[in-house]
């Protein structure tokens, strides 16, 4: 068993390449490498932000550092790796052509350690599906270092790099430390899709796939199959999560907990003074409000995380650990993206409540460090979570409907629409998108063109005309507005394309056959989710989901 007094353990890569690493090619039959969706044309630095300075691709002048983490926290003295239970260019300052080099391919596949990198595995705990699960930790993710941007717009940003699926760590327990292709493609695509939807998230730089054998029981029904393995190079400002503090509180490591909190505050919460006696209270208050904001954003695009355990909830309130997530097709508050969630604990309509549960567990972990006054104030802060969420959610849906100002009946108008959508099983994404594209005159006449298939479905509700009348009357209260301005505002916030399960599944099935064309296509399309794109329309990404999509299942097995 690991020594509970340390938050980190040095971890060794044990990923075995399916072919010789020196011969890796992103397009060869044994490997597929999906480049960063932030690829731009290389140009001189004086041409502005978003462009890199590299004259030639290479890692020889590039390095990572783990000093801030290693200097701040103790490292497990046991070195043996037994089981103890925008990106490339704009973030990493690399020329996009680096992706084709042997050095880079070995780096992102875990075959090469960059100068200054000390692979680490983080120990944390967590409440899983409502129950304390004890010690967990990075079972298949190696933190390979911290990169600080040096150039242009992002100068000084600090990013922690992880290889997910790169082999066993001291916290793998009975796992093999690998990740399979299907889940890796989904994480790679969705983390980038969420970024371009404007939702705080981890990022993904690359996806490397091999023919190494990985065995999984996908639906936990005894049907174990061989699958292809994969590694994702993913980035976040920090990978600390609520469970990072829970494990220290549960094991009574209060001095280490203080050190960790002070480190997080100093690195990631610049508005909080590290010498402020109320810094932990201010930290908690910030996490509460930002978590409410994050979940409201999820709901505004119909996203369900799937596994909202405390070990998957970031202390920086970003979306991390993409597993059995899902974007709703038909609007359904009971939508559960994860077949492993038998009781529907993490259904989309319960995400806000789960956020409250997780924040309460964070408060319990913080209480040993708070005095009686601070505990009382922190409890009051938590009581305000519901209002934070309600206010932010209302703002977002008001914007989605193109409403200006604040009207006391807006909440009713929003709730009325959602009820109609629920009754008719109307498509969530396209209902709001088509309301963004249809003219007021067409709505007044209840003339719904055939191309607006989601609104046609909604229009079959007997109360649809009543809602339209209320909506048009509310739009008249938008001072200085025009129908053109309304539609322009709404199309800028209501995506036409999201990563629906059927789209991801189609890309995965092709990738399993060494065809990464749809992965690349989705990668490009999802960079511009609010813009109508010919390639996306041709692929049917804004059409009614195919009938076979209803039978798709996603589980925790990955």
């Amino acid at each position: 068993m690991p020594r509970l007094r340390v938050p980190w353990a040095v971890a060794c890569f044990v990923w075995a390449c399916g072919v010789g690493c020196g011969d890796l090619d992103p397009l060869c039959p044994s490997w597929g490498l999906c480049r960063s969706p932030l690829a731009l044309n290389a140009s001189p630095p004086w041409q502005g932000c978003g462009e890199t300075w590299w004259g030639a691709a290479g890692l020889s002048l590039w390095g990572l550092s783990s000093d801030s983490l290693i200097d701040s926290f103790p490292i497990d003295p046991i070195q043996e790796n037994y089981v103890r239970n925008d990106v490339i260019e704009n973030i990493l300052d690399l020329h996009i052509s680096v992706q084709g080099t042997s050095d880079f391919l070995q780096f992102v596949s875990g075959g090469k350690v960059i100068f200054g990198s000390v692979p680490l595995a983080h120990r944390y705990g967590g409440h899983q599906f409502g129950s304390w699960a004890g010690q967990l930790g990075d079972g298949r993710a190696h933190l390979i270092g911290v990169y600080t941007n040096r150039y242009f717009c992002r100068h000084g940003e600090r990013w922690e790099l992880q290889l997910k699926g790169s082999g066993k760590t001291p916290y793998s327990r009975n796992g093999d430390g690998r990740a399979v292709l299907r889940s890796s493609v989904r994480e790679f695509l969705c983390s980038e899709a969420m970024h371009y939807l404007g939702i705080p998230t981890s990022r993904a730089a690359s996806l490397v796939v091999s023919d190494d054998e990985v065995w999984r029981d996908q639906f936990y029904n005894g049907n174990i199959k061989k699958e292809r393995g994969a590694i994702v190079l993913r980035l976040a400002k920090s990978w600390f999560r609520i469970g990072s503090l829970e494990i220290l509180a549960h094991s009574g490591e209060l001095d280490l907990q203080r050190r960790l909190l002070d480190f997080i505050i100093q690195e990631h919460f610049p508005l909080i003074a590290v010498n402020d006696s109320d810094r932990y209270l201010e930290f908690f208050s910030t996490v509460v409000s930002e978590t409410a904001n994050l979940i409201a954003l999820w709901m505004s695009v119909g996203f369900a995380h799937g596994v909202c355990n405390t070990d998957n909830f970031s202390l920086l309130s970003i979306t991390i650990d993409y597993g059995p997530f899902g974007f709703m097709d038909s609007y359904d508050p009971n939508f559960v993206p994860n077949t492993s969630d038998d009781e529907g604990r993490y259904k989309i309509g319960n995400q806000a409540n789960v956020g409250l549960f997780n924040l309460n567990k964070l408060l319990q972990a913080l209480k040993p460090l708070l005095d009686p006054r601070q505990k009382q104030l922190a409890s009051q802060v938590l009581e305000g979570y519901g209002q934070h969420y309600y206010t932010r959610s209302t703002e977002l849906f008001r914007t989605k409907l193109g409403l200006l100002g604040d009207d006391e009946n807006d909440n009713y108008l929003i709730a009325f629409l959602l009820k109609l959508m629920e009754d008719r099983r109307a498509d969530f994404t396209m209902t709001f998108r088509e309301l963004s594209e249809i003219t007021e005159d067409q709505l007044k006449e209840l003339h719904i063109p055939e191309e607006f298939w989601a609104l046609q479905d909604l229009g079959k509700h007997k109360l649809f005309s009543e809602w339209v009348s209320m909506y048009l009357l509310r739009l008249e209260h938008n001072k200085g507005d025009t129908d053109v301005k309304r539609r322009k505002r709404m199309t800028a916030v209501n995506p036409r394309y999201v990563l629906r399960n059927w789209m991801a599944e189609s890309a995965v099935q092709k990738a399993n056959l060494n065809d990464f064309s749809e992965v690349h296509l989705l990668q490009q399309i999802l960079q511009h989710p609010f813009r109508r794109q010919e390639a996306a329309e041709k692929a049917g990404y804004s059409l009614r989901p195919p009938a076979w999509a209803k039978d798709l299942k996603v589980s925790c097995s990955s």
Side-chain angles (χ1 to χ4, degrees), residues 273-285:
V274 293
N275 58 353
D276 188 337
S277 60
D278 284 334
R279 61 189 181 278
Y280 301 152
L281 177 63
E282 292 186 36
F283 162 80
F284 179 68
S285 179

Side-chain angles (χ1 to χ4, degrees), residues 200-425:
T201 178
S202 58
R203 305 294 304 277
S206 66
L207 169 66
V208 179
V209 196
S210 88
D211 287 325
D212 285 359
E213 296 182 357
V214 180
W215 296 88
R216 289 290 184 271
D217 184 353
Q218 184 174 356
F219 298 112
Y220 303 104
N221 57 6
N223 187 17
I224 301 175
K225 293 183 178 181
K226 181 178 70 174
E227 300 189 48
R228 299 183 70 186
I231 301 177
V232 173
L233 172 59
R234 61 181 192 172
L235 296 71
K237 298 295 182 62
S238 172
W239 293 101
F240 288 122
R241 65 262 335 262
I242 291 176
S244 304
L245 297 174
E246 281 189 291
I247 190 63
L248 300 178
H250 272 262
S251 56
E253 301 169 85
L254 301 187
D255 288 341
L256 187 53
Q257 188 178 5
R258 288 190 186 91
R259 288 171 60 185
L260 179 56
L261 272 169
D262 289 343
F263 175 86
I264 293 171
I265 291 170
Q266 183 171 359
E267 291 284 344
H268 305 291
F269 292 80
L271 298 181
I272 301 176
V274 293
N275 58 353
D276 188 337
S277 60
D278 284 334
R279 61 189 181 278
Y280 301 152
L281 177 63
E282 292 186 36
F283 162 80
F284 179 68
S285 179
T286 302
V287 175
V288 167
S289 61
E290 290 303 312
T291 298
N293 175 62
L294 176 65
I295 298 178
L297 285 167
W298 287 354
M299 297 294 288
S300 74
V301 294
F303 175 81
H305 187 281
V307 192
C308 295
N309 298 328
T310 58
D311 54 292
N312 292 335
F313 257 52
S314 164
L315 290 173
L316 271 59
S317 304
I318 62 174
T319 315
I320 61 172
D321 293 352
Y322 290 89
F325 64 84
F327 286 88
M328 277 192 301
D329 291 330
S330 300
Y331 178 69
D332 178 9
N334 294 313
F335 169 63
V336 180
N338 181 5
T339 59
S340 302
D341 186 3
D342 297 328
E343 298 180 358
R345 176 180 177 81
Y346 297 142
K347 63 184 180 182
I348 194 168
N350 200 40
Q351 288 190 132
N353 290 330
V354 169
L356 179 61
F357 175 91
N358 290 350
L359 290 169
N360 182 58
K361 297 307 177 185
L362 173 59
L363 176 56
Q364 301 310 310
L366 292 175
K367 277 186 174 180
L369 307 182
L370 305 177
D371 62 32
R373 177 188 64 86
Q374 293 169 335
K375 291 177 183 178
Q376 181 179 7
L377 291 174
S379 296
Q380 292 174 4
V381 166
L382 189 58
E383 289 175 2
Y385 164 83
Q387 186 59 48
H388 274 297
Y389 173 79
Y390 181 77
T391 300
R392 184 62 175 133
S393 182
T394 300
E395 290 174 352
L396 289 168
F397 277 88
R398 183 183 287 127
T399 302
K400 287 174 71 68
L401 288 175
L403 309 180
L404 299 177
D406 186 0
D407 188 286
E408 61 182 6
N409 294 319
D410 285 348
N411 286 317
Y412 179 76
L413 182 68
I414 295 167
F416 191 176
L417 174 62
L418 292 176
K419 177 57 178 170
L420 299 187
M421 292 171 63
E422 181 180 1
D423 289 348
R424 288 296 308 161
R425 307 278 301 174

